[in-house]
Amino acid sequence: MTLDAFLLLAAALFSVGLYGALSQQSIVMLMMGLELMVNGIVVAGGAFWYYIAPGAADGQVLVLVAVTVMALEMAMGFAVVTALFRARDADLTDDAEDLRG
Amino acid sequence: METFVAVVALAGLGGALITAVYALSFLTGVRGTLGVAPFLSGGVPREHALSRFHVRWYAVTMVFLAFDMEMIFMYPWALVVASMGTMAVVEMFLFLGLLLLGVLYAWREGAFRWA
Amino acid sequence: MQVAAFWALAVTAVASGVAVFRVDSMARATFALLASFLCVGGLLLLLDLHYLGALVVLMMIMEMLVMAVFMVMYMMNPAGLMPMTMIHNGRWALGISVAVFAALAAGIVLTPWPPRRGAPPDDPTYALGEAIMGPKMLVMMGIGLAILATMIGSVVLSTDRGRYDREDPR
Amino acid sequence: MGLTAYAAGRPSALLVGVPGAAAVRLAAEAEVRRLGWASASSPASASVLVVCGDPGPSLAAAIDAAWNGVPSPRADVRLSSPGTVRAALADVPATLADLPGQRASAVTGSWRPPAAAEPEHGHGHHMTGAVHGLAMAERADDRDGLKLDVLHLPFGPVLPYWPDGLQIRMAVQGDVVQSAEAAFLDPSGPDFWDEPGARRRAAAHLDALARLLGVAGWRAQAERARLLRDAALDGTPAATLLPRATRFARRVARSRTLRWMTDGLGVHARLLARLDATTTALAHLDDPEPLPPEPDVLGVLPSLLAGRDLAAARLIVAALDPRP
Amino acid sequence: MTPVWTVVALPVALGVLTLLAASGNAVLGAAASGAPAPLRHWDDPLRAAARALVQQRRRTFAADRLLSRVGVVTLPVAALLAAVVLPLGTRAVADWSVGVVWFNAMEVATWAAVWLTGWGPNSAYALVGGYRYLAQGLAYELPHMFALITVALGAGSLNVTRVADAQDGLWFGVWMPVAFAVYLVSALAMAFWGPLAHPVADDVASGAAVELDGPDRLVFAVGRYALLVVAAAAAVPFFLGGGAGPWLPAPVWTLVKTLVVLGALLWAGHRLPVLRMDRFLEFAWIVLIPASLLQMLVVALVVLD
């Protein structure tokens, strides 16, 4: 129950999410990877609040912002996937790389 | 007794009761599992039901996700209104006004209708 | 007692996080991710952040159900009945994520974390409420605008028929 | 075993009506109500399958498909005439309670989809994309611009609050009906409801009202409609029948929630029309006018159902209440 | 710290009230539909439980048994865990400072329960029923949250016992009528009961519960009735002043008020047809949310002075 243990857990969740985000072909699965990464951030935020600065509520606000960012990212991600699916009838990341240089 | 120990004990008790129901059904019930077709009022299924289900209210889910994030701020706000006075109330209802604008826009765009 | 709870929740969180990308059925992947979030909610409860723990459980169940709806709607074989892999450049991704984990772990173990300043207040939720309504008010307003932008953006992107071509005016 | 006998004491009945044999169904419903049995809405929760009448070949096939879904201890009751109903249902608890017999006759095989069950002759027959013998759903265009999977759902004969013997095959994407075809499974000869008489006419309307209220989820009023129907048929004098009927009609017509749910589909107008027809029929019990022949409902049904979601589609079918 | 008697009293009380709700509903249903001798239906739930226990196990073709089992088991456990924060008279099992948020989190778990029960058996009617519950959740959840926040605002605390004690002057149900009405609607929606039983309605042959075999059906039904009991029991500390009352001791008052609210919810089940989600959802977003926000503004102004 030390700070390092919590941060290692956060790092583990972050890297599992990173693996998922990099390796998955479907945009929706890629978003699952992003969710897992933000999950790691939430753990880190809570641990920093408890072990480093419990006096101020900044750690808690960070966790709130992380949870909100995750939800808004999900909403926008699904909107993009729906628009893409309607326009191009596929949700694979390979088809969605028009912006690539 | 520690509170979360009591809660975990209650959850365990619930689980134990449920396993007891399944065990009792194994003892008193007729043996052997009946493999059946899904019930289609007498018809035969032509394909797996587990398919890409075209949900007609997907626009509502996105507006719900966004609107729901405002709940996060309202629970702590409810605690501090008594001590922080009108400033907190004005702030929160400005925040709510923003979000109701979004709901109004979604309604006008027909997001709450079945697509 | 708390240490045992911590390790149990931590191992389940990472295991279900890995399971998200191992299972075939999309519904099972979503609920593995939900299990990982519930463990993180439990961990926050262990850290005396009662409000944030209950909040993560509450918000994540709803979000994962919405996630399951979209996973099932857009994925090729939602119930995993046909075994197929949707992975591209798996090896390369594994390499990068292991490297990132090693770097982070080294950073965590090596840096001398500062000692704790101040004691946790008796009611962290009250402290959070005061912070949001006071010094952190800009955070809330900023997020409010972001939420409004998301609502309008997601409705614009996702709805096919807008207000002009209402099919059955009711 | 005490538990099996106790369970068999009040079984859960799944009633299947046969077109043309409505009299048997009415007698069976009255008997089930008298015995206080539970009414099942699907084979999983049923312990006795009651077939009211002699089904034709395709209806019998659908009934067998439902019968295979009923787990044992189970009983299959075939009723051919209203007279035999009381005796046949009386010995159902005995068959359900005899555990050794049920254990012997219990089926434990697993269902195989028909296509896969046939022997594969050559490779031509291999179904593309079949998984465990059943195809994956195919995609189709949709008014919403998203090409997603279509399920082919037959709303067939064995369903609660469903016209006897009707089967509607719907192609459904999500829960919106894309296309539908309606047909009666082996429509037989003269219908029970066609005989002249105001009582028979009122009973026909009440039977349709019961189905509509059941589909709208108001089970209490649906049962009251059935009680009124049975009272109308077995000769209750108008003095007691009319006040009960007007009270029932007023409560159903005045329900704002029902109007809110059935507005805009043409269902509420038809509901009010049927209520008026019932009360006028009961007011003039002597006139021998039979039920007016239905316009071709089956022909117009598919166009009405396309584009509606499943709940609205069921309400429309119950409001039109096609008869063979 | 939790006194041990509450840990024993909660499951016993929940079990007894669940059985009472089930048999009360059977008798009420028989009476409302004019069946002969409605009182003999008091043991219908026991007969149904016996039928479920003697029934042969049943598996649909290519079903996802793990998920459907998780869905069925989650329902009663969520009801039990939601009841953990409710005061049994004076003392709750878990007197947490965020009891209201925990109650809300546990009843949201029913979303996962019913969707999984619908998704599991690979059957079209069940799938449609499961998705209907998500549409219902999207409709009732936000007004429900606003009602709970209005209660917390009025009491200035998220602890359920303190919310109950804050109503010694005037019950919240009296001066927060809109929040109370919205809460009762969401109590019905939580347990998918009565007018909000669209996910298990008869028009798709009992929707999400169509393929449930013996013990699954029993656990699902017990979970559903337990949820209805917990929703009714939660209305007591939130809106009806908890255990406060003139002559009788606190636990008896809590029981009486719970039974009154439970009776009202059961009666509403037989008095109204089922609401279809495509019409209720638009109504909930356009009417219920602004109404509960106005209610919250009024309560905020009252709390300020």
Side-chain angles (χ1 to χ4, degrees), chain D residues 105 114 134 181 187 196 213 231 246 299 317:
Chain D
S105 70
L134 202 54
E181 333 131 4
L213 290 169
T246 38
V317 168

Side-chain angles (χ1 to χ4, degrees), chain D residues 69-98:
Chain D
V70 178
S72 64
R74 58 183 184 173
D76 181 4
V77 177
R78 304 278 166 150
L79 305 171
S80 49
S81 72
T84 64
V85 165
R86 187 174 288 253
L89 294 189
D91 57 28
V92 160
T95 45
L96 288 180
D98 108 55

Side-chain angles (χ1 to χ4, degrees), chain B residues 19-32, chain D residues 1 3-4 99 103, chain E residues 50 52-57 215:
Chain B
T19 11
V21 165
Y22 283 101
L24 190 60
S25 138
F26 177 75
L27 291 180
T28 58
V30 175
R31 286 296 185 291
Chain D
M1 252 300 280
L3 201 62
T4 319
L99 202 53
R103 281 212 166 109
Chain E
L53 287 178
V54 297
Q55 215 176 48
Q56 175 187 16
R57 295 311 306 277

Side-chain angles (χ1 to χ4, degrees), chain C residues 28-62:
Chain C
R28 289 189 177 189
T30 318
F31 283 93
L33 185 59
L34 175 59
S36 173
F37 274 118
L38 293 181
C39 294
V40 164
L43 285 169
L44 289 179
L45 288 175
L46 278 183
L47 284 170
D48 290 347
L49 287 167
H50 297 300
Y51 170 61
L52 289 181
L55 188 77
V56 162
V57 169
L58 169 64
M59 292 296 162
M60 285 311 136
I61 291 178
M62 288 191 282

